[in-house]
Amino acid sequence: MLTALHWGRGDVQVAGERLRGADLVAAVNAVAHTVAGHERVAVVAHRQLQTVVAVAGVLAAGGCAVPVNPAAGEAERGHVLADSGASLLLDGSAIDLAARGAGVASGDVDAESPGLLVYTSGTTGPPKGVLLSRRAMAACLDGLSDVWQWSQEDVLAHALPLFHVHGLVLGTLGPLRFGSRLVLTDGFGPVEGATMYFGVPTMWSRTDVESLRAMRGARLLVSGSAALPAPVFERVRELTGQRLVERYGLTESLIVTAASVDSDRGAGSVGRPLPGVGLRIADPDDEGMGEVQLSGPTLFSGYLNRPDATTAALTDDGWLRSGDLGRYDDEHGLRLLGRLATDLVKTGGFKVGAGEVEDALLGHPAVAEAAVTGEPDDDLGERIVAWVVRADAVTAGELIDHVAAQLAPHKRPRDVRFVEALPRNAMGKIQKSLLSATNDV
Ligand code: MCA
Ligand code: AMP
């Protein structure tokens, strides 16, 4: 991975700050010298130039960067730092952008060694650390450059968070690998000279008319991380004259399918497999719908410290169970139709496990019982809803703030519904399917 990053041509701009060419290389090298010898380095991933330099520095030194959500609450941050075993924590304030260093010897870094450890939610328990090798990230990026003709001539603009695959692998390591200019903005919107935009559906749907019109000049508008509603696709098409390109993947698989830049695409398809990716539909029903399973060079190397979860995520023949339901045909490519697990909520493109939010709620002394569900939401795709049986007086706002402080603001419930009891079956298991029918009290 790192040997093929074109540092010499890199050009990264965040807010008013910009580093390019030899200055970027030297700043990255200075970090590499600081972190040399550390196997895993946690990086508090503010949307700042320092984060780009820090992550690149860890990679250049042959280490593994562990991005940490800067807004992570106490419990979540503590879990990530302890579980990852990071021996060093870098924050923006620790990175001196004016520092300059000479290259570190990194020629013999194994392509199979992890370059990133990214935490992602499961249905239960705290987030799991996904080990991503240099080989997997390079395969994913090179596949995308193939189908999108992504080159040094491109200028990528986005406002994605830097602690997940979308903003960090695609949105940061991509431009560094291809030597294209990167402009990170505070809010999603037009950037002078940008040729590519990456966003989640919520960002595309929130963008106002004038801003969309100002994006007309770009050659590639990309949506991913969550289902793109057809009306959003149509609105963007109307105002920009362009059809959004969709791509699909998981933290565990990186990006596995994408519509190509020259395809005749419509809403609802997330494209075809990238070079080398295996995609199959397991146990398809009469209409060809089944679980999407994946193989190939972009797959993760396993969950850190969780061999049980790694085994459960893979089939006996080593394919990744995506948990997504889909249908594939050569004409339309992959169409996603739902999800097997109901205890995962995709909200604003973030995956949130019902279990971790329930655990946080149950940690509040006024909560006797809690269940978390996802409900359709025009803005966020899905919104997190908490169903709570009170043990003591507490308001919805207090519980929302409690979850935001323990986990992260994007994991907070948008609605809290107080109920007298949760519906349970004879075994005592909560029947979430009955919850939307339950009335607030
Ligand atoms: C609100 N805030 C709070 C509280 N309420 N803070 C503390 N306590 C509270 N009770 C703050 C938030 O921190 C935030 O502050 C601001 O208020 C607004 O929050 P919110 O409404 O939650 O979000 P938003 O700003 O409206 O965000 C919408 C968004 C965001 C921008 C679309 O959801 C987003 O960035 N999504 C991207 C997700 C993503 O990158 N997923 C990729 C996963 P402040 O503004 O200061 O933060 S990787 C993946 O899925 C695969 C591989 C793939 O396919 O890509
Ligand atoms: P994460 O674990 O945060 O990486 O999220 C992975 C999940 O995001 C996938 O399993 C899908 O459910 C969803 N996803 C990613 N891209 C798309 C897309 N283009 N359309 C629909 N869902 C998507």
Side-chain angles (χ1 to χ4, degrees):
M1 175 78 188
L2 60 124
T3 46
L5 289 170
H6 298 153
W7 306 117
R9 300 204 302 249
D11 179 345
V12 184
Q13 184 181 338
V14 189
E17 290 186 298
R18 184 169 177 182
L19 268 178
R20 46 186 152 166
D23 285 340
L24 177 62
V25 176
V28 167
N29 284 338
V31 172
H33 280 284
T34 311
V35 303
H38 289 271
E39 188 184 346
R40 288 188 209 112
V41 179
V43 177
V44 181
H46 300 281
R47 208 188 293 107
Q48 288 178 348
L49 189 47
Q50 280 90 342
T51 299
V52 178
V53 170
V55 171
V58 175
L59 283 168
C64 174
V66 186
V68 182
N69 178 355
E74 222 176 295
E76 183 158 327
R77 186 180 164 114
H79 167 70
V80 170
L81 293 180
D83 187 71
S84 67
S87 51
L88 196 65
L89 174 67
L90 296 180
D91 202 333
S93 52
I95 307 291
D96 176 8
L97 292 176
R100 299 289 178 259
V104 286
S106 59
D108 53 359
V109 177
D110 183 355
E112 293 304 314
S113 70
L116 287 181
L117 176 65
V118 178
Y119 278 79
T120 189
S121 298
T123 52
T124 57
K128 301 186 287 279
V130 177
L131 288 161
L132 298 170
S133 69
R134 290 161 156 78
R135 177 256 308 149
M137 294 191 281
C140 165
L141 292 173
D142 292 351
L144 288 174
S145 99
D146 241 42
V147 295
W148 290 345
Q149 293 157 25
W150 187 351
S151 79
Q152 191 190 349
E153 308 307 316
D154 281 304
V155 177
L156 170 66
H158 70 80
L160 292 158
L162 298 183
F163 50 89
H164 276 308
V165 161
H166 197 166
L168 190 55
V169 178
L170 277 62
T172 302
L173 299 184
L176 291 178
R177 186 167 178 82
F178 305 128
S180 40
R181 193 176 149 212
L182 166 64
V183 183
L184 271 174
T185 48
D186 233 4
F188 186 64
V191 166
E192 176 88 34
T195 63
M196 302 167 79
Y197 289 91
F198 291 174
V200 298
T202 302
M203 293 173 178
W204 286 111
S205 101
R206 283 183 186 180
T207 306
D208 62 43
V209 170
E210 214 166 294
S211 299
L212 282 174
R213 287 206 174 113
M215 292 176 172
R216 286 186 86 93
R219 67 172 192 89
L220 198 70
L221 310 180
V222 183
S223 175
S225 302
L228 176 69
V232 178
F233 179 95
E234 288 308 334
R235 178 170 171 269
V236 172
R237 179 183 175 138
E238 210 173 285
L239 294 166
T240 65
Q242 296 206 34
R243 288 169 296 169
L244 278 167
V245 164
E246 279 207 77
R247 91 296 174 290
Y248 158 74
L250 286 77
T251 303
E252 290 86 339
S253 66
L254 299 178
I255 301 309
V256 282
T257 71
S260 66
V261 64
D262 45 14
S263 63
D264 180 25
R265 56 193 175 269
S269 167
V270 294
R272 294 180 177 73
L274 294 181
V277 167
L279 185 152
R280 70 185 183 197
I281 304 294
D283 300 324
D285 65 11
D286 292 349
E287 286 169 349
M289 186 176 86
E291 185 186 21
V292 179
Q293 297 187 347
L294 303 158
S295 68
T298 65
L299 255 54
F300 72 145
S301 314
Y303 297 112
L304 183 73
N305 305 327
R306 296 291 308 276
D308 54 328
T310 306
T311 305
L314 301 171
T315 61
D316 288 346
D317 57 350
W319 288 57
L320 178 73
R321 304 174 201 271
S322 72
D324 294 307
L325 292 169
R327 203 156 46 202
Y328 188 85
D329 65 67
D330 282 337
E331 194 192 336
H332 302 99
L334 180 65
R335 278 170 297 171
L336 295 170
L337 303 159
R339 206 168 36 218
L340 280 171
T342 50
D343 274 351
L344 285 173
V345 185
K346 258 275 163 167
T347 178
F350 287 115
K351 184 152 95 177
V352 182
E356 59 178 325
V357 182
E358 287 160 5
D359 290 346
L361 287 165
L362 289 167
H364 192 286
V367 173
E369 293 178 54
V372 164
T373 57
E375 291 189 0
D377 185 278
D378 283 346
D379 178 45
L380 296 168
E382 286 184 299
R383 78 173 170 282
I384 299 171
V385 177
W387 305 79
V388 171
V389 179
R390 273 183 282 212
D392 220 332
V394 68
T395 65
E398 282 163 353
L399 292 181
I400 290 169
D401 289 347
H402 171 76
V403 174
Q406 285 297 305
L407 302 179
H410 71 263
K411 296 184 176 177
R412 71 190 190 278
R414 303 295 166 132
D415 282 327
V416 177
R417 305 207 179 124
F418 293 110
V419 289
E420 270 167 7
L422 293 173
R424 292 180 186 269
N425 65 15
M427 309 294 290
K429 192 176 179 304
I430 298 172
Q431 293 176 290
K432 291 196 179 178
S433 58
L434 298 179
L435 273 174
S436 51
T438 310
N439 291 322
D440 296 42
V441 292

